[in-house]
Amino acid sequence: MGTRFEELAWRETPIGAISLRRRRDPALQVEVYEVKLDDEFLMSSLFPVAEIELARLGLAELAGDTLDVVVGGLGLGYTACAALDDPRVRSLLVVEAIEDVIDWHRRGLLPFAAGLAEDPRTRFARADFFAAVAGDTGFDAEAPGRRFDAVLLDVDHSPRNVLHPSHAAFYAPAGLRRLAALLRPEGVFALWSDDPPDAEFTAALTAVFTTARAHVVPFANPLTGGQSANTVYVARTAG
């Protein structure tokens, strides 16, 4: 790439202007893909470890040979791609509120997510994840009330730091119960968070699910030269 910076896509949305940009990091000698909402960074291809672990940790809790999985929030596609790496996954429904994000993948703008949109197991649903949980239809408009083996969510920064105030109710026990109703017996809900483990949210999970655990996922931070960490919560319904 000859240029140091390129804005690949930009669109005004109800929650702000979302953009995808590519830049060349001269120190690391790599191309970095970043997503911003207005002036706030949402995600970067420099830090994919916890997004990948969201899928791995969540699906590792499941014993079945054929899994139907929902990914809430498409982003750069790391979680969805990691889910497809599990040969047990027979269907992947990606619920994404912003059509432009889906379009980035269909247009092949993200080389590290190549094959995601073309995989026959993948279906994109242009919908608000949180509204789908609160509604009567569920995630799959083609099969209202359909249940899944796993729901992997990466939309907000954390249960306390949400992108829109309407999301906050989901993280309380009542919202989590509605989500649990969309899972099969011994189904798994896994959540990415940018914050350290939150005792109050873990307690909310424990009030709804049979088991709940917060995993700290460390990763090398090339910008600081040290380590950073995210949290992945994994909760499972009763059998």
Side-chain angles (χ1 to χ4, degrees):
M1 186 174 68
T3 58
R4 288 275 301 275
F5 171 87
E6 183 180 6
E7 188 169 74
L8 301 175
W10 182 94
R11 176 80 65 177
E12 191 70 49
T13 78
I15 60 173
I18 194 163
S19 61
L20 171 66
R21 68 181 197 173
R22 177 177 60 191
R23 64 179 175 85
R24 182 75 179 176
D25 189 299
L28 301 174
Q29 291 297 301
V30 295
E31 290 184 5
V32 181
Y33 290 77
E34 296 167 327
V35 180
K36 293 182 68 179
L37 184 66
D38 292 328
D39 293 325
E40 184 176 13
F41 284 95
L42 290 185
M43 57 196 71
S44 168
S45 61
L46 282 177
F47 312 112
V49 174
E51 294 172 32
I52 294 168
E53 286 301 301
L54 172 61
R56 291 179 178 170
L57 290 168
L59 299 185
E61 291 287 322
L62 295 165
D65 295 327
T66 55
L67 305 178
D68 299 312
V69 178
V70 170
V71 167
L74 175 55
L76 295 176
Y78 285 108
T79 300
C81 287
L84 290 176
D85 283 341
D86 190 321
R88 299 176 299 160
V89 173
R90 66 177 175 185
S91 73
L92 180 71
L93 181 63
V94 182
V95 180
E96 171 56 53
I98 301 173
E99 182 67 34
D100 292 68
V101 176
I102 297 172
D103 187 55
W104 300 344
H105 290 268
R106 287 178 171 156
R107 291 166 57 195
L109 297 181
L110 302 164
F112 45 81
L116 170 60
E118 294 77 21
D119 194 299
R121 295 172 292 171
T122 303
R123 180 156 61 92
F124 296 119
R126 195 282 191 203
D128 183 317
F129 176 93
F130 303 97
V133 172
D136 297 326
T137 302
F139 297 120
D140 191 347
E142 297 180 7
R146 180 185 175 193
R147 291 187 171 195
F148 295 85
D149 297 292
V151 173
L152 314 173
L153 177 60
D154 178 7
V155 173
D156 293 313
H157 296 300
S158 75
R160 292 182 181 272
N161 186 5
V162 296
L163 296 180
H164 192 274
S166 63
H167 299 179
F170 169 80
Y171 299 100
L176 295 171
R177 286 191 188 95
R178 295 188 69 92
L179 181 280
L182 297 171
L183 291 169
R184 292 176 179 145
E186 297 188 342
V188 165
F189 169 55
L191 171 73
W192 177 93
S193 172
D194 193 35
D195 289 347
D198 185 317
E200 184 177 338
F201 179 65
T202 302
L205 287 171
T206 303
V208 174
F209 294 90
T210 302
T211 62
R213 181 182 174 188
H215 299 262
V216 176
V217 180
F219 55 90
N221 188 329
L223 298 182
T224 65
Q227 267 201 345
S228 296
N230 295 145
T231 301
V232 172
Y233 298 92
V234 180
R236 191 169 60 187
T237 60

